[in-house]
Amino acid sequence: MITTDILIIGAGPTGLFTVFEAGLLKLRCHLIDALPQPGGQCSEIYPKKPIYDIPAYPEILAGDLTDKLMEQIKQFEPGFTLGERADTIEKQEDETFIVTTNKGTKHQAKVVAIAGGLGSFEPRKPPIPNITNFENVGVEYIIKDPEVYRDKKVVIAGGGDSALDWSIFLTDVASSVTLIHRRNEFRGALDSVDKVQELKDAGKIDLITPAEVVGIAGTNKVEGVSVIKKGDEAFMIKTDHFIPLFGLSPKLGPIANWGLEIEKNAIKVNNALDYQTNIPGIYAIGDVNTYPGKLKLILCGFHEATLMCQSAYKRIFPDKKYVMKYTTVGGVDGFDGSRKEAPKAVVKKIE
């Protein structure tokens, strides 16, 4: 059983910033996310796309924002359960909650903050008839451990940032990398497109466009994929792994069955006070919630996280009074023993 003060479901920007605000209140956090790494959409879908409305950053790449948030919360030592989806929640007699993931990992906390963005992400699967037969035996929709592909033949399908980035990365891992896209044009970062072109010219990536994977061959595991190039007949490519990277589809998932008040696939909250749901002790912050005037912006999620943590403190410590101090005055004490503070004024006589 993993125990913590605040259990955060969703490790996107809002969930990560919650760790910082909770840390200022001496509250510990643990995060659950179905994705294999923190950052939510910023890390998984558009890590190299710039964001222009983060305060103090005229422009910052989504992946870099995740890195900055992780650096900011490091001293508060958050725990992570990654690659697992929050499935069930049970309220205990002592008013705590137990949240169990799809892999059976149990977490207990006094407060649950749902910061799941647009919900849990499910991969968009290509319309290949027998693809489900090969899932986890050669077909993967998300790359969790690149070492799985060490010295293996890999076929990647897709035309976005993920397909480009992983094709580049795996050239130094796999024995061969084939990238297949239904168009000649790629929708990704320009430097990634240029890098793939460079690797293709060097013979390190086999690029097949415009083409589609239409079938998978094998007995107990993937042994090859059937490919049709526009205007040609189908042909077979031998491979150990087929990785279709066509993005992720957001869904509220099991959270929709937790007894929360749902409106248009979002969780209704009390925005007049603290972003609490209809179940006391469960909050919803960021893109996953809804209320009159809601704006689905990262900076709004940061604001909601700040107010939610103040309410969570009162719930966890009903007999304590918290006096807010600006970080410029009180500094920041990490759970790891570190301290950040402004330089103290020097008293010196002028003669």
Side-chain angles (χ1 to χ4, degrees), residues 18-234:
T18 302
V19 176
F20 178 78
E21 288 298 322
L24 295 179
L25 300 170
K26 310 299 182 188
L27 300 176
R28 290 189 175 273
C29 295
H30 190 94
L31 301 94
I32 301 173
D33 202 295
L35 295 175
Q37 73 284 315
Q41 296 180 67
C42 287
S43 294
E44 187 66 24
I45 300 178
Y46 51 91
K48 291 191 175 182
K49 289 189 177 178
I51 303 173
Y52 300 104
D53 59 356
I54 302 298
Y57 287 100
E59 175 182 333
I60 184 169
L61 297 181
D64 291 344
L65 176 62
T66 297
D67 293 341
K68 292 289 185 184
L69 287 165
M70 290 293 288
E71 181 183 345
Q72 185 180 30
I73 66 175
K74 182 180 179 181
Q75 66 183 142
F76 293 125
E77 300 180 323
F80 290 91
T81 299
L82 300 173
E84 298 185 31
R85 183 186 65 238
D87 258 12
T88 63
I89 188 167
E90 301 170 87
K91 193 167 189 178
Q92 307 301 297
E93 290 184 4
D94 62 357
E95 297 295 305
T96 63
F97 298 91
I98 292 180
V99 174
T100 307
T101 70
N102 61 317
K103 294 186 179 179
T105 309
K106 292 184 179 293
H107 310 74
Q108 187 169 24
K110 297 172 183 177
V111 167
V112 174
I114 302 172
L118 298 173
S120 62
F121 292 97
E122 295 182 9
R124 292 191 176 98
K125 303 178 182 181
I128 299 173
N130 62 342
I131 193 167
T132 56
N133 299 337
F134 294 97
E135 290 174 356
N136 300 316
V137 286
V139 170
E140 295 88 28
Y141 304 104
I142 296 174
I143 295 176
K144 297 181 180 180
D145 179 10
E147 282 302 310
V148 169
Y149 309 100
R150 174 70 61 183
D151 300 325
K152 303 290 186 180
K153 298 183 180 70
V154 175
V155 172
I156 294 175
D161 283 315
S162 291
L164 292 166
D165 292 345
W166 280 117
S167 294
I168 294 167
F169 184 90
L170 291 178
T171 55
D172 293 327
V173 177
S175 61
S176 69
V177 175
T178 301
L179 176 59
I180 297 171
H181 183 40
R182 63 184 179 221
R183 287 188 288 270
N184 292 319
E185 301 80 19
F186 288 83
R187 299 177 70 88
L190 185 59
D191 61 331
S192 297
V193 176
D194 290 342
K195 183 64 176 176
V196 168
Q197 179 70 61
E198 179 185 319
L199 290 168
K200 173 184 177 290
D201 294 342
K204 293 185 177 181
I205 289 179
D206 186 11
L207 183 64
I208 304 175
T209 60
E212 291 185 75
V213 175
V214 294
I216 302 171
T219 50
N220 298 321
K221 61 183 183 63
V222 172
E223 296 174 10
V225 292
S226 178
V227 180
I228 291 183
K229 194 170 183 180
K230 197 170 182 180
D232 293 336
E233 294 184 358

